[in-house]
Amino acid sequence: MVEISAKLVKTLREKTGAGMMDCKKALQENQGEVEKATEWLRQKGITSAEKKSGRQTAEGLVHSYIHTGGRIGVLVEVNCETDFVARRDEFKELAQNIAMQIAACPNVEYVNQDNIPKTIVDKEKEIEMGRDDLGNKPENIKEKIVQGRIEKRKKELSLLDQPFIKDSNITVEELLKRNISQLGENIQVRRFTRFILGEGIEKRETNFAAEVAAQTGQSIG
């Protein structure tokens, strides 16, 4: 694989406005050739997404999704810049896809890694540092292993880091960037809530034979 320098990534970023990681990936996919990498980014629909990412998003919609069978429900707020875009079918389809993604990913609890509280990260580190398989390893090696595991765990908790359920070649974040490019506005997932039927309710074990007998005045034995 061609070695991609930070200078080359910066050049592509300044030319396209795409994110650092997107630029690096584009260059890796195209043997370090800036022009081909630029075309690759355009095809992915993410060249202008970064430029719009700082704009205020005060419009949008709250979308609801109920999974087949009515056992899982999702409410998600997706924001954009104008009511005009919020009414477009493409935006509504994006909100539906994101809601379905949330329903399909029971481990996801936060929109992105920045939303994960430090207390959660610290607790994960405490758990990982105490695992038996790290007992005999040097402290510096242990730290690296634990950090890698924590980064993996943070990705598991983050919605934007998930592979998109309809196209596992892209993440939910890349899906957002494509829609930003297509619709011409900044788009953000602000928050979501997942409802799972019966979650948190302690289910009572029922002896149906005894219950029927009690109702009819009979005894069982």
Side-chain angles (χ1 to χ4, degrees), residues 16-164:
T16 64
M20 296 291 285
M21 295 307 296
D22 289 323
C23 289
K24 185 174 181 179
K25 185 176 181 180
L27 288 164
Q28 288 173 337
E29 293 287 334
N30 293 278
Q31 293 74 49
E33 295 185 29
V34 174
E35 292 302 321
K36 288 185 178 180
T38 301
E39 292 177 9
W40 187 90
L41 285 168
R42 289 184 62 189
Q43 289 170 352
K44 297 292 183 183
I46 56 179
T47 51
S48 59
E50 282 299 312
K51 294 179 180 179
K52 299 181 177 70
S53 63
R55 296 181 187 174
Q56 184 179 23
T57 54
E59 296 295 336
L61 56 83
V62 174
H63 185 79
S64 63
Y65 169 72
I66 307 297
H67 191 60
T68 304
R71 303 188 68 84
I72 301 175
V74 169
L75 283 175
V76 59
E77 180 179 345
V78 185
N79 298 135
C80 57
E81 297 177 44
T82 65
D83 185 55
F84 172 75
V85 164
R87 294 196 304 267
R88 288 183 58 170
D89 289 341
E90 297 94 334
F91 186 80
K92 294 175 182 177
E93 181 182 357
L94 172 64
Q96 171 74 354
N97 283 332
I98 291 172
M100 291 175 66
Q101 182 82 39
I102 295 166
C105 298
N107 292 327
V108 166
E109 298 180 25
Y110 304 94
V111 173
N112 55 47
Q113 293 188 37
D114 292 338
N115 295 149
I116 301 174
K118 185 177 182 298
T119 52
I120 299 295
V121 178
D122 290 344
K123 186 63 178 178
E124 287 293 324
K125 184 173 182 178
E126 180 184 335
I127 292 170
E128 292 298 335
M129 289 294 285
R131 292 197 182 278
D132 293 340
D133 63 343
L134 299 179
N136 298 323
K137 296 188 182 298
E139 200 63 28
N140 63 325
I141 300 298
K142 185 188 294 187
E143 284 282 350
K144 289 182 180 180
I145 294 173
V146 167
Q147 189 58 40
R149 290 178 178 178
I150 290 173
E151 291 301 319
K152 181 181 178 182
R153 178 61 178 151
K154 286 166 66 177
K155 284 187 176 182
E156 290 173 351
L157 293 171
S158 165
L159 172 65
L160 297 190
D161 284 297
Q162 302 307 303
F164 180 37

